[in-house]
Amino acid sequence: MRQWSMDNLGVCERIFKFTDPTNVCKMHLEKNMIFVGCWDRMVRAIEFETGVVDRAFLAANSAIKSMHLHENWLFTGSCESQIRAFNLDTGDCKEYEGHESWVNCMATYFVYDAEGNIKNTWLLSGSDDASIRIWDMHSCKRLEKLQEHKNGVMCLALTARNTPCDSLYSGGQDHFTIFWDMKVIEQRIHEMVKMEHEDLLSRKAEAMYGYLEAKFGRKRGKKGKGKGKGKGKKGKKK
């Protein structure tokens, strides 16, 4: 990997030599570090000012194809179907499972409320399985699957027609760039989440009703049987 000067164009300031090819690199401005993902499944964090490798860690089970930074989280996509997220402060790791092939690209999408405050944060990912998946970034839950491409999804771009951004463009190996209206997708996901919540409440109420019926219904039945037997005995004596 080479570091080029933007003041003196064409001047290479540093050269980093790794054992395997470099597939992707990302700059974290707040931490002033460059994160490099390689074919050897490793991610290396390089201090921008000194050029020193601060840390290196195994980030996947196969070659790293893509990376994405959001706040203090580093997301890695590789030649496997999982996305792994690493907390750069604590080292915690979480996984997003659902793709069926290589993960080629990722992006962050913010969901805003009516007052313009961030309500939810979603992770968007494009894969060789020809789909775009939308995840709840915090819970790792898959929210939606977008599948209009006929081949692998290679890149994602979010643009702002108003504020906040509400347009998604995806580019694929099928030679198509597809526009997605994120407001429509937001509404669809909101309705699905609402239906899941209502279904969960319905199941809980049904389970509670069944429990109460099993516990108290049987007792009433036993009492009824006892009274009937008593009346029969009295009638026999007379």
Side-chain angles (χ1 to χ4, degrees), residues 36-50:
V36 183
C38 299
W39 197 260
D40 61 1
R41 306 172 294 165
M42 300 289 290
V43 168
R44 293 168 176 85
I46 302 171
E47 291 183 357
F48 181 73
E49 296 295 334
T50 63

Side-chain angles (χ1 to χ4, degrees), residues 30-181:
E30 292 181 4
K31 295 185 178 296
N32 205 27
M33 301 189 78
I34 305 169
F35 291 87
V36 183
C38 299
W39 197 260
D40 61 1
R41 306 172 294 165
M42 300 289 290
V43 168
R44 293 168 176 85
I46 302 171
E47 291 183 357
F48 181 73
E49 296 295 334
T50 63
V52 175
V53 177
D54 177 72
R55 72 191 90 160
F57 56 92
L58 187 68
N61 293 325
S62 58
I64 295 171
K65 294 282 291 179
S66 59
M67 292 195 304
H68 177 63
L69 286 165
H70 175 72
E71 295 179 351
N72 62 333
W73 287 92
L74 172 69
F75 299 83
T76 62
S78 64
C79 295
E80 56 183 347
S81 59
Q82 289 178 331
I83 298 170
R84 288 184 171 86
F86 299 89
N87 189 302
L88 299 175
D89 296 327
T90 64
D92 293 340
C93 175
K94 55 185 180 181
E95 297 180 352
Y96 301 76
E97 297 184 356
H99 277 300
E100 299 169 5
S101 188
W102 300 1
V103 179
N104 298 321
C105 51
M106 289 172 280
T108 297
Y109 181 77
F110 296 109
V111 181
Y112 293 84
D113 60 21
E115 287 73 36
N117 302 311
I118 297 174
K119 183 172 64 173
N120 289 310
T121 307
W122 294 348
L123 175 69
L124 280 58
S125 58
S127 168
D128 255 20
D129 62 11
S131 76
I132 300 167
R133 311 284 173 127
I134 301 177
W135 319 81
D136 183 291
M137 188 173 281
H138 301 294
S139 68
C140 303
K141 180 183 178 181
R142 192 186 76 183
L143 301 173
E144 180 63 299
K145 176 182 178 181
L146 309 177
Q147 196 154 20
E148 290 294 334
H149 284 284
K150 305 303 180 186
N151 212 323
V153 179
M154 302 306 296
C155 55
L156 299 171
L158 289 162
T159 60
R161 288 181 294 184
N162 300 306
T163 301
C165 65
D166 52 9
S167 307
L168 169 67
Y169 289 87
S170 60
Q173 290 179 326
D174 55 3
H175 302 184
F176 284 97
T177 298
I178 297 177
F179 162 76
W180 308 86
D181 190 332

Side-chain angles (χ1 to χ4, degrees), residues 191-237:
E191 289 173 358
M192 285 191 295
V193 171
K194 186 179 178 181
M195 287 174 63
E196 287 178 4
H197 180 67
E198 289 175 352
D199 182 61
L200 180 62
L201 292 177
S202 176
R203 288 175 181 271
K204 285 183 177 179
E206 196 174 308
M208 180 58 71
Y209 176 78
Y211 169 76
L212 294 174
E213 180 67 23
K215 186 174 182 180
F216 298 106
R218 288 177 185 175
K219 287 184 177 181
R220 286 196 296 269
K222 287 179 181 179
K223 287 180 180 179
K225 286 181 181 179
K227 288 179 181 178
K229 285 180 181 179
K231 285 180 180 178
K233 288 179 182 178
K234 286 181 181 179
K236 205 169 183 180
K237 286 179 180 178

Side-chain angles (χ1 to χ4, degrees), residues 3-13:
Q3 179 181 326
W4 301 89
S5 171
M6 295 302 294
D7 297 323
N8 300 312
L9 296 178
V11 176
C12 179
E13 296 182 336

